[in-house]
Amino acid sequence: MTSISANLQAVKSRIVAACAAAGRDPGRVSLLAVSKTWPADAVRLAAQSGQRAFGENYVQEAVAKAAALADLDLEWHFIGPLQSNKTRPVAEAFAWVHSIDRLKLAERLSMQRPAGLPPLQVCVQVNVSGEASKSGCTAEQAPDLCRAVAALPNLKLRGLMAIPEPAQESAVARRRFGDLRALRDRLNEAGMQLDTLSMGMSDDLEDAIMAGATIVRVGTAIFGARARA
Ligand SMILES: *Cc1c(COP(=O)(O)O)cnc(C)c1O
């Protein structure tokens, strides 16, 4: 067994244990393997162990990797900050975008989504850490942004995503994840149908699952420590 396949098994065991502790069905939490900075060969090893969904942060790197792995049936998720002038390759090559933080980005992705592909699945990224983080819209902006994104023809709004500031204490992480969950619940009570909470990474996936995460985004615990961000 390669270390990647052993690591994948270990992460899946953590997910199953966290679901048991939370009284949740492990079938409702999916694992996104974050492969940013790792070569296509590492992704191939993870795919050989049965992993299909991979998350990437950098457009050029991701597009090159997807092309090198085109023989595999993989699902690519864009999870990093996205510049408006780099949306086209993302609209063409990805299945999901988790980092929608402004309407202009969503409009361009919808316009550029090729006609033959299913709608691009998207999450609105919310800054649940206030001053401590710059990425994502504010919780106050989220309802209007969600409504506008949900109305775009070639996107399917699935839910919310957050990257809380690194917390020393579990209690802080849990509060941030709880805030995102509460926001999603409020939007659904107001008539939206958001089934996805993309939250939790290598260090805090248990807290995220406890708070209701449906996608955890895990890099380091699968591929090892990155040399760069
Ligand atoms: C890098 C990254 C991850 C994975 O983080 P790890 O701590 O390596 O698990 C998850 N989400 C986003 C948005 C990232 O940029």
Side-chain angles (χ1 to χ4, degrees):
M1 202 154 64
T2 67
S3 66
I4 287 177
S5 85
N7 291 348
L8 262 174
Q9 281 314 316
V11 169
K12 285 185 198 164
S13 300
R14 283 175 63 191
I15 292 172
V16 168
C19 285
R24 298 186 55 201
D25 172 3
R28 302 296 297 273
V29 178
S30 57
L31 172 60
L32 181 65
V34 177
S35 47
K36 66 179 177 211
T37 80
W38 295 104
D41 286 348
V43 175
R44 194 174 285 281
L45 281 174
Q48 279 163 1
S49 308
Q51 180 64 26
R52 209 180 142 244
F54 292 90
E56 290 281 340
N57 292 48
Y58 311 104
V59 176
Q60 267 183 309
E61 176 191 333
V63 167
K65 232 179 272 183
L69 297 164
D71 56 310
L72 302 176
D73 179 29
L74 303 181
E75 184 180 273
W76 294 98
H77 294 230
F78 195 83
I79 61 174
L82 183 54
Q83 292 170 348
S84 297
N85 62 359
K86 292 198 179 150
T87 49
R88 187 175 295 278
V90 174
E92 290 174 351
F94 283 74
W96 283 70
V97 174
H98 294 228
S99 45
I100 302 288
D101 59 357
R102 57 199 192 279
L103 185 56
K104 183 180 179 199
L105 201 55
E107 287 172 340
R108 289 180 63 90
L109 288 166
S110 181
M111 198 171 60
Q112 293 167 342
R113 183 68 168 170
L117 294 182
L120 186 62
Q121 311 292 301
V122 300
C123 292
V124 162
Q125 183 177 352
V126 182
N127 175 1
V128 289
S129 304
E131 300 271 294
S133 155
K134 285 193 286 286
S135 49
C137 71
T138 66
E140 291 72 32
Q141 293 166 330
D144 284 347
L145 180 55
C146 283
R147 268 185 285 276
V149 169
L152 292 169
N154 301 319
L155 304 186
K156 168 82 180 145
L157 178 63
R158 295 293 298 274
L160 305 177
M161 180 273 232
I163 315 171
E165 82 276 27
Q168 309 302 328
E169 297 165 57
S170 205
V172 177
R174 278 207 293 269
R175 195 177 326 132
R176 305 298 188 216
F177 294 139
D179 288 347
L180 195 72
R181 157 79 180 259
L183 180 59
R184 195 274 314 260
D185 291 348
R186 283 201 299 281
L187 291 168
N188 282 349
E189 280 158 24
M192 308 215 66
Q193 289 173 322
L194 307 180
D195 62 14
T196 298
L197 283 173
S198 168
M199 58 186 195
M201 315 197 296
S202 293
D203 288 339
D204 56 13
L205 69 89
E206 285 84 2
D207 288 326
I209 288 171
M210 190 59 81
T214 65
I215 301 180
V216 291
R217 310 178 308 267
V218 179
T220 306
I222 296 171
F223 295 105
R226 288 177 294 275
R228 58 183 173 90

